């Protein structure tokens, strides 16, 4: 049995479970009101459930993302949507040809490819979704 030291505690192989992961990998933030810019703190949450309709012009500002980190954003509402980040310079790449659809529920998934402050890179996908327990 291999032992590893983590924050002063010994752990065995496969002994880390969901309860021991940081909030950036497990927590959901429900956002019930929106302002022109909504800050999404990826150091505290991995899923952002925006239950309020987005405004006509809406900015979602990513904060504190790390390379390899993935976040999910659930949103609806007619909006001209803009993604920004707290970096000094960043690039957002849309994977695929789907764009935000304000008349539907949207699932936006973002992965941080590079968290270098002066040259951060984020790839994102957007899909609409409906409730359906029979996916075929």
């Amino acid at each position: 049995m291999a032992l590893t030291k983590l924050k002063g505690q010994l752990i065995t192989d496969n002994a880390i479970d969901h309860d021991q992961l940081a909030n950036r990998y497990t927590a959901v933030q429900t956002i019930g009101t929106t302002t022109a810019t909504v800050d999404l703190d990826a150091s505290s949450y991995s899923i952002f459930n925006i239950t309020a309709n987005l405004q006509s012009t809406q900015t979602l500002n990513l904060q504190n993302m790390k390379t390899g980190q993935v976040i999910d954003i659930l949103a609806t509402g007619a909006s001209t949507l803009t993604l920004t980040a707290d970096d000094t310079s960043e690039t957002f790449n849309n994977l695929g040809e789907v764009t935000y659809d304000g008349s539907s529920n949207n699932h936006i998934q973002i992965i941080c490819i590079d968290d270098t402050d002066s040259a951060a890179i984020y790839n994102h996908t957007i899909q609409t979704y409906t409730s359906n327990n029979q996916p075929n």
Side-chain angles (χ1 to χ4, degrees):
M1 174 177 5
L3 297 176
T4 305
K5 196 166 191 173
L6 177 70
K7 292 189 177 183
Q9 298 178 354
L10 291 178
I11 56 172
T12 59
D13 287 341
N14 298 315
I16 299 295
D17 64 22
H18 190 267
D19 293 337
Q20 294 158 315
L21 295 174
N23 283 344
R24 79 167 54 241
Y25 304 109
T26 62
V28 177
Q29 180 182 25
T30 299
I31 300 169
T33 59
T34 59
T35 57
T37 298
V38 176
D39 291 329
L40 306 176
D41 186 354
S43 68
S44 299
Y45 301 98
S46 66
I47 300 171
F48 301 90
N49 184 13
I50 304 174
T51 58
N53 281 339
L54 297 182
Q55 297 186 9
S56 60
T57 302
Q58 187 72 63
T59 299
L60 301 179
N61 183 49
L62 308 180
Q63 297 177 323
N64 304 309
M65 283 195 73
K66 297 294 183 188
T67 298
Q69 183 179 4
V70 177
I71 64 168
D72 296 279
I73 304 166
L74 306 174
T76 192
S79 179
T80 301
L81 191 61
T82 302
L83 297 173
T84 62
D86 60 354
D87 307 292
T88 58
S89 180
E90 69 272 340
T91 300
F92 284 92
N93 300 311
N94 184 0
L95 306 178
E97 298 178 13
V98 178
T99 58
Y100 180 82
D101 179 354
S103 65
S104 297
N105 294 318
N106 292 266
H107 177 203
I108 304 166
Q109 190 168 65
I110 302 173
I111 183 169
C112 180
I113 301 301
D114 185 343
D115 66 6
T116 304
D117 183 54
S118 62
I121 300 171
Y122 302 94
N123 287 352
H124 64 87
T125 59
I126 302 172
Q127 294 293 320
T128 60
Y129 67 93
T130 58
S131 178
N132 181 357
N133 66 347
Q134 296 179 334
N136 34 338

